[in-house]
Amino acid sequence: MMMMATKGEGFLGVCGGSLGGSQAYAPSCGVLERFGSSLLAPRREGRPFGSTKAETYDVGSSSNIKWHESPVTRDAREKQLNQRGCVLWMTGLSGSGKSTVAFTLEHMLQEEGKLCYVLDGDNVRHGLCQDLGFTAQCREENIRRMGEVANLMANAGIITVVSIISPFAKDRNKVRERMENKSDFHEVYMKIPVSVCEERDPKGLYKKARAGKIKGFTGIDAPYEAPENPEITLEVNDGNAAEMARELLDYLRSHKFLEY
C-alpha cells in the first residue's frame, strides 16, 4: 500500500501502508482524557515514524491506548464553517421546554447557514445511552457521555445544544471542566416553576409520578439543583419557545459564535 505524507503547521503526517526507504514523521501525540485531577499522559513532540515504540497508557478501564493528533486544527474547521464551536447546555425540569427551544434554535441557525446539532436527552437514550436507566449512577453516566460527545462536536466547530434535565450541579460542573476550552460551555437554565411544568406535562410523566407509577421523578420525589451562576436564564415571562430561541440566537451572535 502506498504511504502519503502531509505537511501542515509543525506536522508531517503519514497515512497507512509502507514507505519503503522514505522518511516521514508521525503526528505528535497527547491526551485530553483526564481522570481525577491528574493528566494521564503529556503531549509528545513528533518523532520519526517507527523510530521508537509508541508510548501507550491507560485511561479508565481502557489500556494500551494513545491520543492521535489530527493535522486539521479546530481553527481550520471553524474558519471553513465561518462560526465558532460551543456547547449550550440546557438544564431544567421535565416540561420546561428545553427540547422545544433547542430545536427551534437549531432551525433558526440552519436558516442562517450555520451548523448546529441538538443532543436531546430522550434521543440519545435511543442509541448511545439505551443501556442506562434512571438510577443516580446511570444518570451521572448519561450526562458524562453526552458531555463527551458535546465536547467533540464543539471541537469540530459545531454549535452544539444539549437538552437534558441534568438535575445535579456536580454533574454539570464536571462536563464544564471536561471541555477542551472552558469557554466552550454555556449553561442555559430553563427556570420554569414545577407548577407550570406539571400543568404542561407533555409526556404525562407528572401524572404518572403523582400516581406513584414513576419513582425518583425530578421535581416530585427527587431533587433538582438549580444552577447558581448560569450564563443564560430563561423564564416564563421571556415569551414562547420562538422568543426564547431568539434570545439564545442573540446571545450566540453577541458572543461572536456566528462568525469566524
Short mmCIF file of all heavy atoms in Angstrom, two decimals, residues 57-117:
data_model
loop_
_atom_site.label_atom_id
_atom_site.label_comp_id
_atom_site.label_asym_id
_atom_site.label_seq_id
_atom_site.Cartn_x
_atom_site.Cartn_y
_atom_site.Cartn_z
N TYR A 57 -0.80 4.27 27.24
CA TYR A 57 -1.13 4.46 28.64
C TYR A 57 -2.56 3.97 28.86
O TYR A 57 -3.25 3.56 27.94
CB TYR A 57 -0.99 5.94 29.02
CG TYR A 57 -1.50 6.88 27.95
CD1 TYR A 57 -2.85 7.17 27.83
CD2 TYR A 57 -0.62 7.44 27.02
CE1 TYR A 57 -3.31 7.99 26.82
CE2 TYR A 57 -1.08 8.27 26.01
CZ TYR A 57 -2.43 8.56 25.93
OH TYR A 57 -2.89 9.37 24.94
N ASP A 58 -2.97 4.00 30.11
CA ASP A 58 -4.30 3.54 30.47
C ASP A 58 -5.21 4.73 30.73
O ASP A 58 -4.79 5.73 31.32
CB ASP A 58 -4.25 2.67 31.73
CG ASP A 58 -3.43 1.40 31.53
OD1 ASP A 58 -3.19 1.04 30.36
OD2 ASP A 58 -3.04 0.78 32.55
N VAL A 59 -6.45 4.62 30.30
CA VAL A 59 -7.47 5.63 30.56
C VAL A 59 -8.70 4.91 31.09
O VAL A 59 -9.34 4.16 30.35
CB VAL A 59 -7.83 6.43 29.30
CG1 VAL A 59 -8.92 7.44 29.62
CG2 VAL A 59 -6.62 7.14 28.74
N GLY A 60 -9.00 5.09 32.36
CA GLY A 60 -10.12 4.38 32.94
C GLY A 60 -9.92 2.88 32.85
O GLY A 60 -8.90 2.35 33.29
N SER A 61 -10.85 2.19 32.22
CA SER A 61 -10.77 0.74 32.06
C SER A 61 -10.07 0.34 30.76
O SER A 61 -9.90 -0.85 30.48
CB SER A 61 -12.18 0.12 32.09
OG SER A 61 -12.81 0.38 33.32
N SER A 62 -9.68 1.32 29.95
CA SER A 62 -9.02 1.04 28.68
C SER A 62 -7.50 1.08 28.87
O SER A 62 -6.98 1.98 29.51
CB SER A 62 -9.42 2.07 27.62
OG SER A 62 -10.81 2.07 27.41
N SER A 63 -6.83 0.10 28.29
CA SER A 63 -5.38 0.04 28.43
C SER A 63 -4.70 0.07 27.06
O SER A 63 -5.31 -0.24 26.04
CB SER A 63 -4.96 -1.24 29.17
OG SER A 63 -5.42 -2.38 28.48
N ASN A 64 -3.43 0.47 27.07
CA ASN A 64 -2.60 0.48 25.86
C ASN A 64 -3.20 1.32 24.74
O ASN A 64 -3.32 0.87 23.59
CB ASN A 64 -2.36 -0.95 25.37
CG ASN A 64 -1.66 -1.79 26.41
OD1 ASN A 64 -0.66 -1.36 27.00
ND2 ASN A 64 -2.17 -2.99 26.67
N ILE A 65 -3.55 2.54 25.06
CA ILE A 65 -4.10 3.44 24.04
C ILE A 65 -3.28 4.73 24.04
O ILE A 65 -2.47 4.97 24.94
CB ILE A 65 -5.58 3.77 24.30
CG1 ILE A 65 -5.75 4.50 25.64
CG2 ILE A 65 -6.43 2.52 24.27
CD1 ILE A 65 -7.15 5.01 25.86
N LYS A 66 -3.49 5.56 23.01
CA LYS A 66 -2.86 6.87 22.97
C LYS A 66 -3.71 7.80 22.12
O LYS A 66 -4.51 7.35 21.29
CB LYS A 66 -1.43 6.79 22.40
CG LYS A 66 -1.32 6.55 20.90
CD LYS A 66 0.14 6.48 20.48
CE LYS A 66 0.29 6.35 18.96
NZ LYS A 66 -0.05 7.62 18.29
N TRP A 67 -3.55 9.08 22.37
CA TRP A 67 -4.30 10.08 21.61
C TRP A 67 -3.62 10.33 20.28
O TRP A 67 -2.40 10.53 20.22
CB TRP A 67 -4.38 11.39 22.41
CG TRP A 67 -5.20 12.44 21.71
CD1 TRP A 67 -4.77 13.39 20.84
CD2 TRP A 67 -6.61 12.63 21.83
NE1 TRP A 67 -5.82 14.16 20.41
CE2 TRP A 67 -6.96 13.72 21.00
CE3 TRP A 67 -7.62 11.98 22.57
CZ2 TRP A 67 -8.27 14.18 20.88
CZ3 TRP A 67 -8.92 12.45 22.45
CH2 TRP A 67 -9.24 13.53 21.62
N HIS A 68 -4.39 10.32 19.19
CA HIS A 68 -3.86 10.60 17.85
C HIS A 68 -4.23 12.02 17.46
O HIS A 68 -5.40 12.36 17.33
CB HIS A 68 -4.41 9.59 16.83
CG HIS A 68 -3.92 8.20 17.04
ND1 HIS A 68 -2.77 7.72 16.46
CD2 HIS A 68 -4.41 7.20 17.81
CE1 HIS A 68 -2.57 6.46 16.84
NE2 HIS A 68 -3.55 6.13 17.67
N GLU A 69 -3.25 12.84 17.31
CA GLU A 69 -3.44 14.25 16.97
C GLU A 69 -3.77 14.39 15.48
O GLU A 69 -3.15 13.74 14.63
CB GLU A 69 -2.13 14.96 17.28
CG GLU A 69 -2.17 16.35 17.88
CD GLU A 69 -3.09 16.58 19.04
OE1 GLU A 69 -2.71 16.37 20.19
OE2 GLU A 69 -4.21 17.01 18.75
N SER A 70 -4.75 15.22 15.16
CA SER A 70 -5.13 15.45 13.75
C SER A 70 -4.38 16.66 13.20
O SER A 70 -4.18 17.65 13.91
CB SER A 70 -6.63 15.70 13.64
OG SER A 70 -6.98 16.13 12.33
N PRO A 71 -3.99 16.60 11.92
CA PRO A 71 -3.35 17.77 11.30
C PRO A 71 -4.37 18.87 11.01
O PRO A 71 -4.00 20.01 10.74
CB PRO A 71 -2.76 17.21 10.01
CG PRO A 71 -3.66 16.07 9.66
CD PRO A 71 -4.05 15.46 10.98
N VAL A 72 -5.67 18.53 11.06
CA VAL A 72 -6.71 19.52 10.83
C VAL A 72 -7.06 20.15 12.17
O VAL A 72 -7.60 19.49 13.06
CB VAL A 72 -7.97 18.88 10.21
CG1 VAL A 72 -9.03 19.96 9.95
CG2 VAL A 72 -7.63 18.15 8.92
N THR A 73 -6.75 21.41 12.33
CA THR A 73 -6.96 22.07 13.61
C THR A 73 -8.40 22.53 13.77
O THR A 73 -9.16 22.66 12.80
CB THR A 73 -6.05 23.31 13.72
OG1 THR A 73 -6.44 24.27 12.73
CG2 THR A 73 -4.58 22.93 13.54
N ARG A 74 -8.76 22.79 15.01
CA ARG A 74 -10.08 23.35 15.28
C ARG A 74 -10.25 24.69 14.58
O ARG A 74 -11.31 24.97 14.01
CB ARG A 74 -10.27 23.52 16.79
CG ARG A 74 -11.57 24.24 17.16
CD ARG A 74 -11.81 24.24 18.64
NE ARG A 74 -13.03 24.97 18.96
CZ ARG A 74 -13.65 24.92 20.13
NH1 ARG A 74 -13.15 24.16 21.10
NH2 ARG A 74 -14.75 25.61 20.35
N ASP A 75 -9.21 25.48 14.59
CA ASP A 75 -9.26 26.78 13.95
C ASP A 75 -9.58 26.64 12.46
O ASP A 75 -10.35 27.41 11.89
CB ASP A 75 -7.93 27.51 14.14
CG ASP A 75 -8.01 28.97 13.75
OD1 ASP A 75 -8.81 29.71 14.36
OD2 ASP A 75 -7.28 29.38 12.83
N ALA A 76 -8.99 25.63 11.82
CA ALA A 76 -9.24 25.40 10.39
C ALA A 76 -10.69 25.00 10.15
O ALA A 76 -11.31 25.42 9.18
CB ALA A 76 -8.29 24.32 9.87
N ARG A 77 -11.23 24.19 11.03
CA ARG A 77 -12.63 23.76 10.89
C ARG A 77 -13.56 24.95 11.05
O ARG A 77 -14.52 25.12 10.28
CB ARG A 77 -12.97 22.69 11.93
CG ARG A 77 -12.17 21.40 11.81
CD ARG A 77 -12.69 20.37 12.80
NE ARG A 77 -11.82 19.21 12.85
CZ ARG A 77 -10.96 18.96 13.83
NH1 ARG A 77 -10.86 19.80 14.85
NH2 ARG A 77 -10.21 17.88 13.82
N GLU A 78 -13.29 25.78 12.07
CA GLU A 78 -14.15 26.92 12.32
C GLU A 78 -14.05 27.96 11.19
O GLU A 78 -15.06 28.58 10.83
CB GLU A 78 -13.79 27.55 13.67
CG GLU A 78 -14.14 26.64 14.84
CD GLU A 78 -13.79 27.22 16.19
OE1 GLU A 78 -12.85 28.03 16.26
OE2 GLU A 78 -14.46 26.86 17.18
N LYS A 79 -12.88 28.10 10.64
CA LYS A 79 -12.71 29.02 9.51
C LYS A 79 -13.53 28.53 8.32
O LYS A 79 -14.18 29.33 7.62
CB LYS A 79 -11.23 29.11 9.13
CG LYS A 79 -10.94 30.08 8.00
CD LYS A 79 -9.45 30.18 7.72
CE LYS A 79 -9.17 31.17 6.60
NZ LYS A 79 -7.70 31.27 6.33
N GLN A 80 -13.51 27.23 8.09
CA GLN A 80 -14.27 26.65 6.99
C GLN A 80 -15.77 26.85 7.17
O GLN A 80 -16.50 27.12 6.22
CB GLN A 80 -13.96 25.16 6.87
CG GLN A 80 -14.61 24.47 5.69
CD GLN A 80 -14.22 23.00 5.61
OE1 GLN A 80 -14.07 22.33 6.63
NE2 GLN A 80 -14.03 22.50 4.41
N LEU A 81 -16.24 26.74 8.41
CA LEU A 81 -17.66 26.87 8.72
C LEU A 81 -18.09 28.32 8.95
O LEU A 81 -19.29 28.61 8.97
CB LEU A 81 -17.99 26.06 9.98
CG LEU A 81 -17.85 24.53 9.87
CD1 LEU A 81 -17.97 23.89 11.26
CD2 LEU A 81 -18.90 23.97 8.92
N ASN A 82 -17.11 29.22 9.12
CA ASN A 82 -17.38 30.61 9.44
C ASN A 82 -18.25 30.73 10.70
O ASN A 82 -19.26 31.43 10.73
CB ASN A 82 -18.06 31.33 8.28
CG ASN A 82 -18.11 32.85 8.49
OD1 ASN A 82 -17.23 33.42 9.13
ND2 ASN A 82 -19.15 33.50 7.98
N GLN A 83 -17.86 30.00 11.73
CA GLN A 83 -18.53 30.06 13.02
C GLN A 83 -17.60 29.49 14.07
O GLN A 83 -16.53 28.98 13.75
CB GLN A 83 -19.84 29.25 13.00
CG GLN A 83 -19.64 27.75 12.79
CD GLN A 83 -20.95 26.98 12.73
OE1 GLN A 83 -21.88 27.36 12.02
NE2 GLN A 83 -21.04 25.91 13.49
N ARG A 84 -18.00 29.60 15.33
CA ARG A 84 -17.21 29.07 16.44
C ARG A 84 -18.00 27.96 17.13
O ARG A 84 -19.19 28.12 17.40
CB ARG A 84 -16.89 30.17 17.46
CG ARG A 84 -16.08 31.32 16.91
CD ARG A 84 -14.65 30.94 16.65
NE ARG A 84 -13.83 32.10 16.28
CZ ARG A 84 -12.55 32.02 15.94
NH1 ARG A 84 -11.94 30.86 15.94
NH2 ARG A 84 -11.88 33.10 15.60
N GLY A 85 -17.33 26.86 17.41
CA GLY A 85 -17.98 25.77 18.11
C GLY A 85 -18.21 26.12 19.57
O GLY A 85 -17.42 26.83 20.18
N CYS A 86 -19.29 25.63 20.13
CA CYS A 86 -19.60 25.86 21.54
C CYS A 86 -20.66 24.86 21.98
O CYS A 86 -21.22 24.11 21.17
CB CYS A 86 -20.08 27.29 21.78
SG CYS A 86 -21.65 27.66 20.98
N VAL A 87 -20.94 24.86 23.28
CA VAL A 87 -21.98 24.00 23.83
C VAL A 87 -22.95 24.85 24.64
O VAL A 87 -22.54 25.55 25.58
CB VAL A 87 -21.38 22.91 24.75
CG1 VAL A 87 -22.50 22.10 25.41
CG2 VAL A 87 -20.46 22.00 23.96
N LEU A 88 -24.21 24.83 24.26
CA LEU A 88 -25.27 25.42 25.07
C LEU A 88 -25.91 24.27 25.84
O LEU A 88 -26.55 23.40 25.25
CB LEU A 88 -26.32 26.11 24.20
CG LEU A 88 -25.89 27.35 23.41
CD1 LEU A 88 -27.09 27.94 22.69
CD2 LEU A 88 -25.26 28.39 24.31
N TRP A 89 -25.67 24.22 27.15
CA TRP A 89 -26.17 23.11 27.97
C TRP A 89 -27.48 23.55 28.63
O TRP A 89 -27.49 24.31 29.59
CB TRP A 89 -25.13 22.73 29.02
CG TRP A 89 -25.46 21.46 29.73
CD1 TRP A 89 -26.31 21.31 30.80
CD2 TRP A 89 -24.97 20.15 29.43
NE1 TRP A 89 -26.38 19.98 31.18
CE2 TRP A 89 -25.56 19.25 30.36
CE3 TRP A 89 -24.08 19.65 28.47
CZ2 TRP A 89 -25.28 17.88 30.35
CZ3 TRP A 89 -23.82 18.29 28.46
CH2 TRP A 89 -24.41 17.42 29.39
N MET A 90 -28.60 23.06 28.12
CA MET A 90 -29.91 23.47 28.58
C MET A 90 -30.38 22.52 29.68
O MET A 90 -30.59 21.33 29.44
CB MET A 90 -30.90 23.51 27.42
CG MET A 90 -30.46 24.44 26.30
SD MET A 90 -31.69 24.66 25.01
CE MET A 90 -32.98 25.51 25.90
N THR A 91 -30.53 23.05 30.87
CA THR A 91 -30.95 22.26 32.02
C THR A 91 -32.24 22.83 32.59
O THR A 91 -32.47 24.04 32.56
CB THR A 91 -29.85 22.24 33.10
OG1 THR A 91 -30.31 21.55 34.25
CG2 THR A 91 -29.42 23.65 33.51
N GLY A 92 -33.07 21.95 33.12
CA GLY A 92 -34.34 22.38 33.70
C GLY A 92 -35.24 21.17 33.88
O GLY A 92 -34.93 20.06 33.44
N LEU A 93 -36.35 21.38 34.52
CA LEU A 93 -37.29 20.29 34.81
C LEU A 93 -37.92 19.73 33.54
O LEU A 93 -37.93 20.38 32.49
CB LEU A 93 -38.40 20.80 35.73
CG LEU A 93 -37.99 21.26 37.14
CD1 LEU A 93 -39.18 21.92 37.83
CD2 LEU A 93 -37.45 20.10 37.95
N SER A 94 -38.42 18.54 33.64
CA SER A 94 -39.20 17.96 32.55
C SER A 94 -40.40 18.86 32.29
O SER A 94 -41.08 19.31 33.21
CB SER A 94 -39.68 16.55 32.95
OG SER A 94 -40.50 15.99 31.94
N GLY A 95 -40.62 19.17 31.03
CA GLY A 95 -41.73 20.04 30.67
C GLY A 95 -41.39 21.52 30.69
O GLY A 95 -42.26 22.36 30.43
N SER A 96 -40.14 21.85 30.94
CA SER A 96 -39.74 23.27 30.98
C SER A 96 -39.56 23.86 29.59
O SER A 96 -39.43 25.08 29.45
CB SER A 96 -38.45 23.44 31.79
OG SER A 96 -37.38 22.71 31.22
N GLY A 97 -39.52 23.00 28.58
CA GLY A 97 -39.41 23.49 27.20
C GLY A 97 -38.02 23.40 26.61
O GLY A 97 -37.75 23.97 25.55
N LYS A 98 -37.15 22.65 27.25
CA LYS A 98 -35.75 22.54 26.78
C LYS A 98 -35.67 22.07 25.34
O LYS A 98 -35.02 22.70 24.50
CB LYS A 98 -34.97 21.56 27.67
CG LYS A 98 -34.88 21.96 29.13
CD LYS A 98 -34.07 20.96 29.94
CE LYS A 98 -34.64 19.56 29.92
NZ LYS A 98 -36.00 19.47 30.51
N SER A 99 -36.31 20.96 25.04
CA SER A 99 -36.21 20.38 23.70
C SER A 99 -36.86 21.28 22.65
O SER A 99 -36.32 21.47 21.56
CB SER A 99 -36.86 18.99 23.68
OG SER A 99 -36.18 18.10 24.52
N THR A 100 -38.01 21.84 22.98
CA THR A 100 -38.72 22.69 22.03
C THR A 100 -37.88 23.91 21.67
O THR A 100 -37.73 24.27 20.50
CB THR A 100 -40.07 23.15 22.62
OG1 THR A 100 -40.84 22.00 22.98
CG2 THR A 100 -40.84 23.98 21.61
N VAL A 101 -37.30 24.55 22.69
CA VAL A 101 -36.46 25.73 22.45
C VAL A 101 -35.19 25.33 21.69
O VAL A 101 -34.76 26.03 20.76
CB VAL A 101 -36.11 26.42 23.78
CG1 VAL A 101 -35.10 27.55 23.54
CG2 VAL A 101 -37.36 26.97 24.45
N ALA A 102 -34.62 24.19 22.07
CA ALA A 102 -33.37 23.73 21.43
C ALA A 102 -33.57 23.51 19.93
O ALA A 102 -32.77 23.97 19.11
CB ALA A 102 -32.88 22.46 22.09
N PHE A 103 -34.63 22.80 19.57
CA PHE A 103 -34.85 22.50 18.15
C PHE A 103 -35.31 23.74 17.37
O PHE A 103 -35.05 23.85 16.18
CB PHE A 103 -35.85 21.35 18.00
CG PHE A 103 -35.24 20.01 18.30
CD1 PHE A 103 -35.63 19.30 19.43
CD2 PHE A 103 -34.28 19.46 17.47
CE1 PHE A 103 -35.06 18.06 19.72
CE2 PHE A 103 -33.70 18.23 17.74
CZ PHE A 103 -34.10 17.52 18.88
N THR A 104 -35.98 24.65 18.05
CA THR A 104 -36.35 25.91 17.41
C THR A 104 -35.09 26.71 17.09
O THR A 104 -34.95 27.29 16.00
CB THR A 104 -37.29 26.74 18.31
OG1 THR A 104 -38.46 25.98 18.62
CG2 THR A 104 -37.70 28.04 17.62
N LEU A 105 -34.16 26.74 18.03
CA LEU A 105 -32.88 27.42 17.81
C LEU A 105 -32.11 26.76 16.67
O LEU A 105 -31.54 27.46 15.81
CB LEU A 105 -32.05 27.41 19.09
CG LEU A 105 -30.62 27.96 18.97
CD1 LEU A 105 -30.64 29.43 18.58
CD2 LEU A 105 -29.85 27.75 20.28
N GLU A 106 -32.09 25.45 16.65
CA GLU A 106 -31.38 24.73 15.59
C GLU A 106 -31.93 25.13 14.22
O GLU A 106 -31.16 25.35 13.27
CB GLU A 106 -31.53 23.22 15.79
CG GLU A 106 -30.79 22.38 14.75
CD GLU A 106 -31.08 20.89 14.90
OE1 GLU A 106 -32.27 20.54 15.08
OE2 GLU A 106 -30.14 20.09 14.81
N HIS A 107 -33.24 25.24 14.13
CA HIS A 107 -33.86 25.62 12.85
C HIS A 107 -33.49 27.05 12.47
O HIS A 107 -33.19 27.34 11.30
CB HIS A 107 -35.38 25.47 12.96
CG HIS A 107 -36.12 25.81 11.70
ND1 HIS A 107 -35.99 25.07 10.55
CD2 HIS A 107 -36.97 26.82 11.40
CE1 HIS A 107 -36.74 25.60 9.59
NE2 HIS A 107 -37.34 26.66 10.09
N MET A 108 -33.49 27.94 13.44
CA MET A 108 -33.10 29.34 13.17
C MET A 108 -31.67 29.42 12.66
O MET A 108 -31.37 30.16 11.71
CB MET A 108 -33.24 30.18 14.45
CG MET A 108 -34.67 30.46 14.88
SD MET A 108 -34.70 31.43 16.43
CE MET A 108 -36.47 31.73 16.59
N LEU A 109 -30.78 28.66 13.28
CA LEU A 109 -29.38 28.67 12.86
C LEU A 109 -29.22 28.08 11.47
O LEU A 109 -28.42 28.57 10.66
CB LEU A 109 -28.53 27.90 13.87
CG LEU A 109 -28.30 28.63 15.21
CD1 LEU A 109 -27.76 27.68 16.25
CD2 LEU A 109 -27.34 29.81 15.01
N GLN A 110 -29.97 27.04 11.19
CA GLN A 110 -29.90 26.42 9.86
C GLN A 110 -30.33 27.42 8.79
O GLN A 110 -29.72 27.49 7.71
CB GLN A 110 -30.78 25.16 9.82
CG GLN A 110 -30.61 24.29 8.58
CD GLN A 110 -31.49 24.72 7.42
OE1 GLN A 110 -32.54 25.33 7.64
NE2 GLN A 110 -31.08 24.43 6.22
N GLU A 111 -31.34 28.20 9.09
CA GLU A 111 -31.81 29.21 8.13
C GLU A 111 -30.77 30.30 7.90
O GLU A 111 -30.78 30.94 6.85
CB GLU A 111 -33.12 29.83 8.63
CG GLU A 111 -34.32 28.88 8.53
CD GLU A 111 -35.63 29.58 8.83
OE1 GLU A 111 -35.64 30.44 9.73
OE2 GLU A 111 -36.63 29.27 8.16
N GLU A 112 -29.88 30.49 8.87
CA GLU A 112 -28.81 31.48 8.72
C GLU A 112 -27.55 30.85 8.13
O GLU A 112 -26.51 31.52 8.03
CB GLU A 112 -28.49 32.13 10.07
CG GLU A 112 -29.57 33.05 10.58
CD GLU A 112 -29.06 34.05 11.60
OE1 GLU A 112 -27.83 34.20 11.74
OE2 GLU A 112 -29.91 34.70 12.25
N GLY A 113 -27.63 29.58 7.76
CA GLY A 113 -26.49 28.92 7.16
C GLY A 113 -25.45 28.46 8.16
O GLY A 113 -24.29 28.22 7.79
N LYS A 114 -25.86 28.30 9.42
CA LYS A 114 -24.94 27.87 10.46
C LYS A 114 -25.18 26.40 10.82
O LYS A 114 -26.31 25.92 10.74
CB LYS A 114 -25.09 28.75 11.72
CG LYS A 114 -24.83 30.22 11.45
CD LYS A 114 -23.43 30.45 10.87
CE LYS A 114 -23.19 31.90 10.52
NZ LYS A 114 -21.86 32.12 9.89
N LEU A 115 -24.10 25.73 11.20
CA LEU A 115 -24.17 24.31 11.52
C LEU A 115 -24.41 24.14 13.02
O LEU A 115 -23.59 24.53 13.84
CB LEU A 115 -22.88 23.60 11.11
CG LEU A 115 -22.84 22.08 11.32
CD1 LEU A 115 -23.97 21.40 10.57
CD2 LEU A 115 -21.49 21.53 10.88
N CYS A 116 -25.54 23.55 13.35
CA CYS A 116 -25.93 23.32 14.74
C CYS A 116 -26.49 21.91 14.86
O CYS A 116 -27.07 21.38 13.91
CB CYS A 116 -26.98 24.35 15.17
SG CYS A 116 -27.71 24.07 16.80
N TYR A 117 -26.29 21.30 16.02
CA TYR A 117 -26.90 19.99 16.25
C TYR A 117 -27.39 19.92 17.69
O TYR A 117 -26.70 20.38 18.62
CB TYR A 117 -25.90 18.85 15.99
CG TYR A 117 -26.58 17.50 15.92
CD1 TYR A 117 -27.15 17.07 14.73
CD2 TYR A 117 -26.68 16.68 17.05
CE1 TYR A 117 -27.80 15.84 14.66
CE2 TYR A 117 -27.33 15.47 16.98
CZ TYR A 117 -27.89 15.04 15.79
OH TYR A 117 -28.54 13.84 15.73
#
